[in-house]
Structure formats: structure tokens, C-alpha cells
Amino acid sequence: MIIRSGRDAAYRQLADLLRAEITSGRIRPGQLLPYEKRLQQEYGVGRGTVRRALQVLREEGLVVTERGYSTRVRESQERERVAVPRGAVISIRMPTEAERVELGIEPGAVVPVAVVTVGGRVRGIYAGDRVELTTA
Amino acid sequence: MIIRSGRDAAYRQLADLLRAEITSGRIRPGQLLPYEKRLQQEYGVGRGTVRRALQVLREEGLVVTERGYSTRVRESQERERVAVPRGAVISIRMPTEAERVELGIEPGAVVPVAVVTVGGRVRGIYAGDRVELTTA
DNA sequence: GGACATTTGTACGTATGTATC
DNA sequence: CGATACATACGTACAAATGTC
């Protein structure tokens, strides 16, 4: 139930409700969320509010939205282990558009990258949803 | 100059223009961006488009917006170096809401975290915009 | 391949609430 | 207190991608 108040924005409340559906397992990875129009009707809010809420979940990396299709819960993926040499420096940040393309990160997915440098030289860039780094 | 086209959304173009102002140093850290209304007039776009563009920059951690005041360029932060012990496993992902609060990540900023575990035990969680990890 | 309905993406305007100065 | 500026929320319209027939 969404209640209008200055304290808690409607889009945040909706995001909380949908997040609970996902983390509780009522909507499982790969499954579709209700369409935007359905969410509007079900929760009695405008489309902008629905879209804002979905955006929050996208930013958390919980869901992926495909235009003309729908929004679905992201599959949690097995992560490959990558060994990092001693003396390396690891930076964590969001990827540039070029890096997204390079790494094949889906549009709409919020995936951080790890940049491994040794002596100032970049040794590798890894997508956070596919890799774990281990120290040798 | 912003040109309407299906290829490149107006809000992305505006974000690109403003980002260039910042990265080129024409607008320096701590300085204010033009007010939303000013941006509307200057670039001939609606308010939603301006806000969407500013949101992009907030998500990139480039600017900070204060309600009732304005949007300013964020002070660039030096990253602290954190040593990671040998045999550690580093996961990179987006933070939960609780972790955001714990780490003091500003609302709207899209900042990944590194989770360092040794033998399955969590040894530390670090915000990507404030630390670099180094292998001992 | 085209025609169509559905769904998400972008963009606009407008109104109201809330924080800052 | 008023003026200004950002936050939220609504409605509307059209564009673009998808799936189906």
C-alpha cells in the first residue's frame, strides 16, 4: 500500500514493495515484473512514478528492462575467479560506455567494473557480475 | 547544441555537454551549475529533460544537488589505498540500501562496493569512489 | 515480408510540496 | 515572511522496439 506523504516518496515506496517481492523470492530471477501499466493500476500511481521506481531497482542491479518487452529480475550469475598479481592496484567504478560495449554489459544493467593496474599499466578490466578477484 | 533525433536522446546530449564543461575545467569543483530554469532556456528543452541530464551526472558522481539551492560540481576525492591480504577474495557489486547508509553514499550516487572476504568471512566493504585496493 | 497491438523510451506541460536564502 | 529552486507526481503525446498474426 502506497501512502502519499512528504516523508516517503511514492516511487520509493513502490521500489521497496517490488524489491521485497524479489528478495523474498516471490518473483524469481528470469521472471517478468508486471508491465508498467499494470503497476500503475495496481498501486494507483502515475506512469512516471512507476518508471522512477523501476529505475531505482535497475540502479541496484536487481532488474533489467528491455524496451518493447518488459522488466525482468536479473539472473544471479556464477562468478569466475581471476587471480591478481602482487603489487597490483584495483579500482572499482562504473564502466564507460565503451567499456560496457567491450565487456558486453546489457543496456539497462547496472554493473560495476574492476580495473587492475600494475605499475600504472592497465592489466585488465572485469565486469563485477562475472568475476571475483583473488590475491595470489 | 542539442538536436532532436531518435539516435541520441536530448537528455544524454545535455549531459554530455555539461560533462564536458566539468571535465574540461570550465566549471570547477565546488562551483555551481546553472539553475534548472536557466538550462531549460539556454538549451531549449523541458524541465524533465534538464533533470534527467542532471541525474545522469549525479549517478556518475560528478555533481551533487541540494534541494532548494542548486547543483554543484563535486570535489574530487583522493582515493585511500587499502591493502588486501593474500588469499582474499574480492567481489564487486552494487551496495544494498543498508550498505549505502553504512558507507555514507549520497542518495542518487551510483557507487559500487568491493567486498573483501578471507576464508568466507567478510573482512571489509569499501566504497569504490573512496578507496583503491592493493595486493600486499 | 508487412500490418498491427503492446510495451518501453523520450519529452513536454502543469501542479503542488519542501528546503534554502 | 516572501522569493527562489529543487523534489515529486500527474497527464499527455509520440517514437522505437518487440512479438504476433
mmCIF file of all heavy atoms in Angstrom, chain B residues 60-102:
data_model
loop_
_atom_site.group_PDB
_atom_site.id
_atom_site.type_symbol
_atom_site.label_atom_id
_atom_site.label_comp_id
_atom_site.label_asym_id
_atom_site.label_seq_id
_atom_site.Cartn_x
_atom_site.Cartn_y
_atom_site.Cartn_z
ATOM 1 N N GLU B 60 26.908 9.547 -12.012
ATOM 2 C CA GLU B 60 28.324 9.377 -12.309
ATOM 3 C C GLU B 60 29.187 9.932 -11.182
ATOM 4 O O GLU B 60 30.412 9.829 -11.231
ATOM 5 C CB GLU B 60 28.667 10.096 -13.624
ATOM 6 C CG GLU B 60 28.027 9.437 -14.827
ATOM 7 C CD GLU B 60 28.211 10.249 -16.092
ATOM 8 O OE1 GLU B 60 28.828 11.326 -16.036
ATOM 9 O OE2 GLU B 60 27.732 9.791 -17.146
ATOM 10 N N GLY B 61 28.508 10.532 -10.197
ATOM 11 C CA GLY B 61 29.248 11.067 -9.064
ATOM 12 C C GLY B 61 29.938 12.382 -9.372
ATOM 13 O O GLY B 61 30.769 12.842 -8.603
ATOM 14 N N LEU B 62 29.592 12.996 -10.493
ATOM 15 C CA LEU B 62 30.254 14.238 -10.908
ATOM 16 C C LEU B 62 29.713 15.456 -10.182
ATOM 17 O O LEU B 62 30.453 16.401 -9.934
ATOM 18 C CB LEU B 62 30.078 14.448 -12.417
ATOM 19 C CG LEU B 62 31.147 13.866 -13.336
ATOM 20 C CD1 LEU B 62 30.819 14.199 -14.781
ATOM 21 C CD2 LEU B 62 32.519 14.422 -12.977
ATOM 22 N N VAL B 63 28.414 15.449 -9.887
ATOM 23 C CA VAL B 63 27.801 16.617 -9.258
ATOM 24 C C VAL B 63 26.946 16.199 -8.058
ATOM 25 O O VAL B 63 26.581 15.030 -7.910
ATOM 26 C CB VAL B 63 26.898 17.393 -10.256
ATOM 27 C CG1 VAL B 63 27.687 17.822 -11.476
ATOM 28 C CG2 VAL B 63 25.709 16.540 -10.659
ATOM 29 N N VAL B 64 26.675 17.167 -7.221
ATOM 30 C CA VAL B 64 25.809 16.966 -6.069
ATOM 31 C C VAL B 64 24.720 18.021 -6.118
ATOM 32 O O VAL B 64 25.001 19.189 -6.370
ATOM 33 C CB VAL B 64 26.589 17.106 -4.751
ATOM 34 C CG1 VAL B 64 25.662 16.946 -3.564
ATOM 35 C CG2 VAL B 64 27.715 16.091 -4.703
ATOM 36 N N THR B 65 23.481 17.596 -5.914
ATOM 37 C CA THR B 65 22.377 18.544 -5.945
ATOM 38 C C THR B 65 21.806 18.735 -4.554
ATOM 39 O O THR B 65 21.573 17.770 -3.834
ATOM 40 C CB THR B 65 21.268 18.041 -6.888
ATOM 41 O OG1 THR B 65 21.782 17.926 -8.204
ATOM 42 C CG2 THR B 65 20.092 19.016 -6.891
ATOM 43 N N GLU B 66 21.621 20.001 -4.169
ATOM 44 C CA GLU B 66 20.978 20.280 -2.897
ATOM 45 C C GLU B 66 19.666 20.980 -3.150
ATOM 46 O O GLU B 66 19.607 22.001 -3.832
ATOM 47 C CB GLU B 66 21.893 21.155 -2.022
ATOM 48 C CG GLU B 66 22.960 20.336 -1.334
ATOM 49 C CD GLU B 66 23.990 21.230 -0.683
ATOM 50 O OE1 GLU B 66 23.739 21.679 0.438
ATOM 51 O OE2 GLU B 66 25.026 21.496 -1.318
ATOM 52 N N ARG B 67 18.641 20.402 -2.582
ATOM 53 C CA ARG B 67 17.284 20.886 -2.770
ATOM 54 C C ARG B 67 17.120 22.328 -2.312
ATOM 55 O O ARG B 67 17.572 22.695 -1.243
ATOM 56 C CB ARG B 67 16.382 19.977 -1.957
ATOM 57 C CG ARG B 67 14.942 20.302 -1.980
ATOM 58 C CD ARG B 67 14.266 19.195 -1.242
ATOM 59 N NE ARG B 67 12.844 19.298 -1.249
ATOM 60 C CZ ARG B 67 12.053 18.275 -0.984
ATOM 61 N NH1 ARG B 67 12.580 17.105 -0.709
ATOM 62 N NH2 ARG B 67 10.770 18.428 -0.978
ATOM 63 N N GLY B 68 16.481 23.098 -3.127
ATOM 64 C CA GLY B 68 16.224 24.495 -2.776
ATOM 65 C C GLY B 68 17.433 25.381 -2.988
ATOM 66 O O GLY B 68 17.366 26.591 -2.818
ATOM 67 N N TYR B 69 18.546 24.767 -3.363
ATOM 68 C CA TYR B 69 19.762 25.556 -3.541
ATOM 69 C C TYR B 69 20.244 25.446 -4.983
ATOM 70 O O TYR B 69 19.880 26.269 -5.815
ATOM 71 C CB TYR B 69 20.813 25.092 -2.532
ATOM 72 C CG TYR B 69 22.105 25.822 -2.614
ATOM 73 C CD1 TYR B 69 22.156 27.202 -2.592
ATOM 74 C CD2 TYR B 69 23.302 25.114 -2.727
ATOM 75 C CE1 TYR B 69 23.354 27.877 -2.683
ATOM 76 C CE2 TYR B 69 24.505 25.786 -2.809
ATOM 77 C CZ TYR B 69 24.524 27.162 -2.790
ATOM 78 O OH TYR B 69 25.718 27.824 -2.877
ATOM 79 N N SER B 70 21.003 24.431 -5.272
ATOM 80 C CA SER B 70 21.480 24.288 -6.645
ATOM 81 C C SER B 70 22.234 22.978 -6.818
ATOM 82 O O SER B 70 22.229 22.122 -5.940
ATOM 83 C CB SER B 70 22.377 25.461 -7.009
ATOM 84 O OG SER B 70 22.764 25.364 -8.365
ATOM 85 N N THR B 71 22.861 22.851 -7.955
ATOM 86 C CA THR B 71 23.707 21.685 -8.250
ATOM 87 C C THR B 71 25.132 22.169 -8.405
ATOM 88 O O THR B 71 25.392 23.143 -9.096
ATOM 89 C CB THR B 71 23.236 20.997 -9.542
ATOM 90 O OG1 THR B 71 21.915 20.491 -9.373
ATOM 91 C CG2 THR B 71 24.161 19.848 -9.905
ATOM 92 N N ARG B 72 26.039 21.516 -7.750
ATOM 93 C CA ARG B 72 27.436 21.939 -7.833
ATOM 94 C C ARG B 72 28.336 20.767 -8.207
ATOM 95 O O ARG B 72 27.988 19.601 -8.005
ATOM 96 C CB ARG B 72 27.896 22.541 -6.507
ATOM 97 C CG ARG B 72 27.977 21.532 -5.385
ATOM 98 C CD ARG B 72 28.675 22.130 -4.152
ATOM 99 N NE ARG B 72 29.055 21.058 -3.236
ATOM 100 C CZ ARG B 72 28.239 20.487 -2.384
ATOM 101 N NH1 ARG B 72 26.976 20.869 -2.315
ATOM 102 N NH2 ARG B 72 28.656 19.514 -1.602
ATOM 103 N N VAL B 73 29.485 21.101 -8.745
ATOM 104 C CA VAL B 73 30.458 20.078 -9.122
ATOM 105 C C VAL B 73 31.109 19.522 -7.863
ATOM 106 O O VAL B 73 31.522 20.265 -6.984
ATOM 107 C CB VAL B 73 31.538 20.661 -10.054
ATOM 108 C CG1 VAL B 73 32.565 19.596 -10.414
ATOM 109 C CG2 VAL B 73 30.897 21.227 -11.305
ATOM 110 N N ARG B 74 31.155 18.229 -7.803
ATOM 111 C CA ARG B 74 31.678 17.572 -6.613
ATOM 112 C C ARG B 74 33.186 17.767 -6.516
ATOM 113 O O ARG B 74 33.890 17.756 -7.513
ATOM 114 C CB ARG B 74 31.374 16.078 -6.720
ATOM 115 C CG ARG B 74 31.054 15.479 -5.401
ATOM 116 C CD ARG B 74 30.495 14.095 -5.592
ATOM 117 N NE ARG B 74 31.168 13.213 -4.691
ATOM 118 C CZ ARG B 74 31.426 11.947 -4.942
ATOM 119 N NH1 ARG B 74 31.085 11.439 -6.089
ATOM 120 N NH2 ARG B 74 32.000 11.222 -4.052
ATOM 121 N N GLU B 75 33.645 17.921 -5.290
ATOM 122 C CA GLU B 75 35.079 17.986 -5.057
ATOM 123 C C GLU B 75 35.627 16.595 -5.356
ATOM 124 O O GLU B 75 35.082 15.604 -4.909
ATOM 125 C CB GLU B 75 35.363 18.332 -3.584
ATOM 126 C CG GLU B 75 34.576 19.512 -3.047
ATOM 127 C CD GLU B 75 35.131 20.847 -3.510
ATOM 128 O OE1 GLU B 75 36.236 20.864 -4.083
ATOM 129 O OE2 GLU B 75 34.452 21.876 -3.313
ATOM 130 N N SER B 76 36.673 16.565 -6.148
ATOM 131 C CA SER B 76 37.249 15.262 -6.463
ATOM 132 C C SER B 76 37.935 14.714 -5.222
ATOM 133 O O SER B 76 38.618 15.418 -4.501
ATOM 134 C CB SER B 76 38.256 15.406 -7.596
ATOM 135 O OG SER B 76 39.260 16.315 -7.212
ATOM 136 N N GLN B 77 37.693 13.463 -4.998
ATOM 137 C CA GLN B 77 38.210 12.870 -3.767
ATOM 138 C C GLN B 77 39.418 11.997 -4.055
ATOM 139 O O GLN B 77 39.440 11.235 -4.998
ATOM 140 C CB GLN B 77 37.123 12.004 -3.115
ATOM 141 C CG GLN B 77 35.876 12.801 -2.792
ATOM 142 C CD GLN B 77 34.808 11.914 -2.192
ATOM 143 O OE1 GLN B 77 35.034 10.725 -1.984
ATOM 144 N NE2 GLN B 77 33.661 12.493 -1.910
ATOM 145 N N GLU B 78 40.388 12.149 -3.241
ATOM 146 C CA GLU B 78 41.524 11.242 -3.297
ATOM 147 C C GLU B 78 41.060 9.883 -2.824
ATOM 148 O O GLU B 78 40.246 9.772 -1.922
ATOM 149 C CB GLU B 78 42.625 11.749 -2.370
ATOM 150 C CG GLU B 78 43.402 12.909 -2.938
ATOM 151 C CD GLU B 78 44.236 12.488 -4.152
ATOM 152 O OE1 GLU B 78 44.940 11.469 -4.048
ATOM 153 O OE2 GLU B 78 44.157 13.165 -5.185
ATOM 154 N N ARG B 79 41.569 8.866 -3.453
ATOM 155 C CA ARG B 79 41.197 7.525 -3.024
ATOM 156 C C ARG B 79 42.237 6.970 -2.054
ATOM 157 O O ARG B 79 43.428 6.990 -2.332
ATOM 158 C CB ARG B 79 41.100 6.602 -4.232
ATOM 159 C CG ARG B 79 39.860 6.819 -5.059
ATOM 160 C CD ARG B 79 39.661 5.608 -5.939
ATOM 161 N NE ARG B 79 38.369 5.645 -6.600
ATOM 162 C CZ ARG B 79 38.227 5.782 -7.912
ATOM 163 N NH1 ARG B 79 39.277 5.910 -8.674
ATOM 164 N NH2 ARG B 79 37.031 5.772 -8.448
ATOM 165 N N GLU B 80 41.712 6.485 -0.976
ATOM 166 C CA GLU B 80 42.569 5.856 0.032
ATOM 167 C C GLU B 80 42.974 4.468 -0.453
ATOM 168 O O GLU B 80 42.213 3.779 -1.111
ATOM 169 C CB GLU B 80 41.778 5.747 1.345
ATOM 170 C CG GLU B 80 42.568 5.195 2.494
ATOM 171 C CD GLU B 80 41.649 4.852 3.665
ATOM 172 O OE1 GLU B 80 40.443 5.191 3.579
ATOM 173 O OE2 GLU B 80 42.138 4.247 4.623
ATOM 174 N N ARG B 81 44.201 4.075 -0.121
ATOM 175 C CA ARG B 81 44.658 2.735 -0.508
ATOM 176 C C ARG B 81 44.446 1.768 0.644
ATOM 177 O O ARG B 81 44.828 2.039 1.773
ATOM 178 C CB ARG B 81 46.146 2.752 -0.856
ATOM 179 C CG ARG B 81 46.435 3.554 -2.106
ATOM 180 C CD ARG B 81 47.013 2.662 -3.186
ATOM 181 N NE ARG B 81 46.999 3.369 -4.454
ATOM 182 C CZ ARG B 81 48.026 3.369 -5.311
ATOM 183 N NH1 ARG B 81 49.129 2.684 -5.034
ATOM 184 N NH2 ARG B 81 47.928 4.012 -6.440
ATOM 185 N N VAL B 82 43.818 0.671 0.317
ATOM 186 C CA VAL B 82 43.571 -0.361 1.320
ATOM 187 C C VAL B 82 44.279 -1.637 0.900
ATOM 188 O O VAL B 82 44.095 -2.115 -0.218
ATOM 189 C CB VAL B 82 42.065 -0.637 1.473
ATOM 190 C CG1 VAL B 82 41.816 -1.805 2.404
ATOM 191 C CG2 VAL B 82 41.346 0.614 1.966
ATOM 192 N N ALA B 83 45.096 -2.160 1.784
ATOM 193 C CA ALA B 83 45.838 -3.387 1.473
ATOM 194 C C ALA B 83 44.946 -4.603 1.682
ATOM 195 O O ALA B 83 44.219 -4.701 2.668
ATOM 196 C CB ALA B 83 47.073 -3.486 2.365
ATOM 197 N N VAL B 84 45.007 -5.508 0.731
ATOM 198 C CA VAL B 84 44.222 -6.735 0.816
ATOM 199 C C VAL B 84 45.177 -7.895 1.086
ATOM 200 O O VAL B 84 46.180 -8.044 0.379
ATOM 201 C CB VAL B 84 43.477 -6.989 -0.514
ATOM 202 C CG1 VAL B 84 42.748 -8.311 -0.474
ATOM 203 C CG2 VAL B 84 42.527 -5.848 -0.799
ATOM 204 N N PRO B 85 44.899 -8.714 2.092
ATOM 205 C CA PRO B 85 45.793 -9.821 2.419
ATOM 206 C C PRO B 85 45.794 -10.888 1.330
ATOM 207 O O PRO B 85 44.846 -10.988 0.543
ATOM 208 C CB PRO B 85 45.216 -10.374 3.724
ATOM 209 C CG PRO B 85 43.789 -9.967 3.715
ATOM 210 C CD PRO B 85 43.742 -8.655 3.000
ATOM 211 N N ARG B 86 46.850 -11.690 1.292
ATOM 212 C CA ARG B 86 46.925 -12.780 0.317
ATOM 213 C C ARG B 86 45.865 -13.819 0.638
ATOM 214 O O ARG B 86 45.537 -14.072 1.784
ATOM 215 C CB ARG B 86 48.301 -13.416 0.358
ATOM 216 C CG ARG B 86 49.365 -12.423 -0.074
ATOM 217 C CD ARG B 86 50.741 -13.004 0.060
ATOM 218 N NE ARG B 86 50.969 -14.085 -0.912
ATOM 219 C CZ ARG B 86 52.138 -14.725 -1.022
ATOM 220 N NH1 ARG B 86 53.134 -14.412 -0.202
ATOM 221 N NH2 ARG B 86 52.287 -15.666 -1.922
ATOM 222 N N GLY B 87 45.305 -14.373 -0.420
ATOM 223 C CA GLY B 87 44.273 -15.392 -0.234
ATOM 224 C C GLY B 87 42.879 -14.805 -0.092
ATOM 225 O O GLY B 87 41.904 -15.532 0.061
ATOM 226 N N ALA B 88 42.789 -13.502 -0.188
ATOM 227 C CA ALA B 88 41.475 -12.865 -0.078
ATOM 228 C C ALA B 88 40.705 -12.993 -1.395
ATOM 229 O O ALA B 88 41.297 -13.185 -2.454
ATOM 230 C CB ALA B 88 41.636 -11.398 0.287
ATOM 231 N N VAL B 89 39.388 -12.898 -1.296
ATOM 232 C CA VAL B 89 38.532 -12.892 -2.477
ATOM 233 C C VAL B 89 37.784 -11.565 -2.503
ATOM 234 O O VAL B 89 37.204 -11.152 -1.502
ATOM 235 C CB VAL B 89 37.530 -14.062 -2.465
ATOM 236 C CG1 VAL B 89 36.587 -13.971 -3.657
ATOM 237 C CG2 VAL B 89 38.271 -15.391 -2.476
ATOM 238 N N ILE B 90 37.807 -10.909 -3.658
ATOM 239 C CA ILE B 90 37.185 -9.591 -3.781
ATOM 240 C C ILE B 90 36.002 -9.674 -4.734
ATOM 241 O O ILE B 90 36.173 -10.047 -5.890
ATOM 242 C CB ILE B 90 38.211 -8.568 -4.326
ATOM 243 C CG1 ILE B 90 39.456 -8.543 -3.427
ATOM 244 C CG2 ILE B 90 37.578 -7.191 -4.423
ATOM 245 C CD1 ILE B 90 40.664 -7.899 -4.096
ATOM 246 N N SER B 91 34.826 -9.349 -4.228
ATOM 247 C CA SER B 91 33.636 -9.276 -5.072
ATOM 248 C C SER B 91 33.276 -7.823 -5.300
ATOM 249 O O SER B 91 33.387 -7.005 -4.391
ATOM 250 C CB SER B 91 32.453 -9.974 -4.409
ATOM 251 O OG SER B 91 32.650 -11.366 -4.407
ATOM 252 N N ILE B 92 32.845 -7.535 -6.503
ATOM 253 C CA ILE B 92 32.445 -6.166 -6.827
ATOM 254 C C ILE B 92 30.976 -6.172 -7.211
ATOM 255 O O ILE B 92 30.549 -6.925 -8.067
ATOM 256 C CB ILE B 92 33.268 -5.604 -7.985
ATOM 257 C CG1 ILE B 92 34.727 -5.573 -7.602
ATOM 258 C CG2 ILE B 92 32.797 -4.220 -8.355
ATOM 259 C CD1 ILE B 92 35.555 -6.478 -8.460
ATOM 260 N N ARG B 93 30.214 -5.305 -6.549
ATOM 261 C CA ARG B 93 28.781 -5.246 -6.835
ATOM 262 C C ARG B 93 28.219 -3.909 -6.370
ATOM 263 O O ARG B 93 28.926 -3.092 -5.787
ATOM 264 C CB ARG B 93 28.059 -6.392 -6.136
ATOM 265 C CG ARG B 93 28.264 -6.426 -4.631
ATOM 266 C CD ARG B 93 27.339 -7.443 -3.991
ATOM 267 N NE ARG B 93 27.624 -7.646 -2.585
ATOM 268 C CZ ARG B 93 27.305 -6.829 -1.608
ATOM 269 N NH1 ARG B 93 26.720 -5.681 -1.878
ATOM 270 N NH2 ARG B 93 27.587 -7.105 -0.344
ATOM 271 N N MET B 94 26.923 -3.713 -6.610
ATOM 272 C CA MET B 94 26.268 -2.515 -6.123
ATOM 273 C C MET B 94 25.861 -2.754 -4.671
ATOM 274 O O MET B 94 25.535 -3.868 -4.286
ATOM 275 C CB MET B 94 25.048 -2.187 -6.969
ATOM 276 C CG MET B 94 25.360 -2.005 -8.459
ATOM 277 S SD MET B 94 26.741 -0.874 -8.753
ATOM 278 C CE MET B 94 26.007 0.674 -8.194
ATOM 279 N N PRO B 95 25.894 -1.721 -3.858
ATOM 280 C CA PRO B 95 25.579 -1.885 -2.432
ATOM 281 C C PRO B 95 24.090 -2.043 -2.176
ATOM 282 O O PRO B 95 23.264 -1.583 -2.956
ATOM 283 C CB PRO B 95 26.081 -0.571 -1.817
ATOM 284 C CG PRO B 95 25.969 0.418 -2.924
ATOM 285 C CD PRO B 95 26.252 -0.332 -4.187
ATOM 286 N N THR B 96 23.772 -2.704 -1.082
ATOM 287 C CA THR B 96 22.389 -2.720 -0.617
ATOM 288 C C THR B 96 22.099 -1.370 0.025
ATOM 289 O O THR B 96 23.003 -0.571 0.276
ATOM 290 C CB THR B 96 22.173 -3.811 0.444
ATOM 291 O OG1 THR B 96 22.969 -3.485 1.591
ATOM 292 C CG2 THR B 96 22.582 -5.175 -0.078
ATOM 293 N N GLU B 97 20.829 -1.132 0.323
ATOM 294 C CA GLU B 97 20.454 0.135 0.951
ATOM 295 C C GLU B 97 21.156 0.293 2.299
ATOM 296 O O GLU B 97 21.642 1.365 2.646
ATOM 297 C CB GLU B 97 18.930 0.197 1.127
ATOM 298 C CG GLU B 97 18.397 1.544 1.545
ATOM 299 C CD GLU B 97 18.841 2.680 0.643
ATOM 300 O OE1 GLU B 97 18.940 2.465 -0.589
ATOM 301 O OE2 GLU B 97 19.131 3.777 1.160
ATOM 302 N N ALA B 98 21.220 -0.801 3.044
ATOM 303 C CA ALA B 98 21.875 -0.761 4.359
ATOM 304 C C ALA B 98 23.352 -0.393 4.217
ATOM 305 O O ALA B 98 23.890 0.409 4.997
ATOM 306 C CB ALA B 98 21.725 -2.111 5.061
ATOM 307 N N GLU B 99 24.001 -0.967 3.213
ATOM 308 C CA GLU B 99 25.418 -0.676 3.000
ATOM 309 C C GLU B 99 25.627 0.773 2.569
ATOM 310 O O GLU B 99 26.605 1.419 2.962
ATOM 311 C CB GLU B 99 25.990 -1.633 1.949
ATOM 312 C CG GLU B 99 26.142 -3.052 2.479
ATOM 313 C CD GLU B 99 26.355 -4.078 1.381
ATOM 314 O OE1 GLU B 99 26.144 -3.743 0.193
ATOM 315 O OE2 GLU B 99 26.714 -5.214 1.711
ATOM 316 N N ARG B 100 24.696 1.268 1.781
ATOM 317 C CA ARG B 100 24.789 2.674 1.359
ATOM 318 C C ARG B 100 24.776 3.584 2.580
ATOM 319 O O ARG B 100 25.573 4.525 2.680
ATOM 320 C CB ARG B 100 23.605 3.040 0.456
ATOM 321 C CG ARG B 100 23.617 2.341 -0.890
ATOM 322 C CD ARG B 100 22.415 2.793 -1.709
ATOM 323 N NE ARG B 100 22.497 4.194 -2.040
ATOM 324 C CZ ARG B 100 23.007 4.656 -3.176
ATOM 325 N NH1 ARG B 100 23.462 3.816 -4.073
ATOM 326 N NH2 ARG B 100 23.051 5.936 -3.411
ATOM 327 N N VAL B 101 23.863 3.308 3.492
ATOM 328 C CA VAL B 101 23.764 4.113 4.704
ATOM 329 C C VAL B 101 25.041 3.983 5.522
ATOM 330 O O VAL B 101 25.635 4.969 5.959
ATOM 331 C CB VAL B 101 22.543 3.673 5.545
ATOM 332 C CG1 VAL B 101 22.547 4.379 6.889
ATOM 333 C CG2 VAL B 101 21.248 3.951 4.787
ATOM 334 N N GLU B 102 25.470 2.756 5.680
ATOM 335 C CA GLU B 102 26.675 2.452 6.462
ATOM 336 C C GLU B 102 27.897 3.196 5.923
ATOM 337 O O GLU B 102 28.695 3.756 6.675
ATOM 338 C CB GLU B 102 26.924 0.940 6.429
ATOM 339 C CG GLU B 102 28.177 0.475 7.126
ATOM 340 C CD GLU B 102 28.030 0.474 8.635
ATOM 341 O OE1 GLU B 102 26.874 0.491 9.111
ATOM 342 O OE2 GLU B 102 29.047 0.458 9.320
#
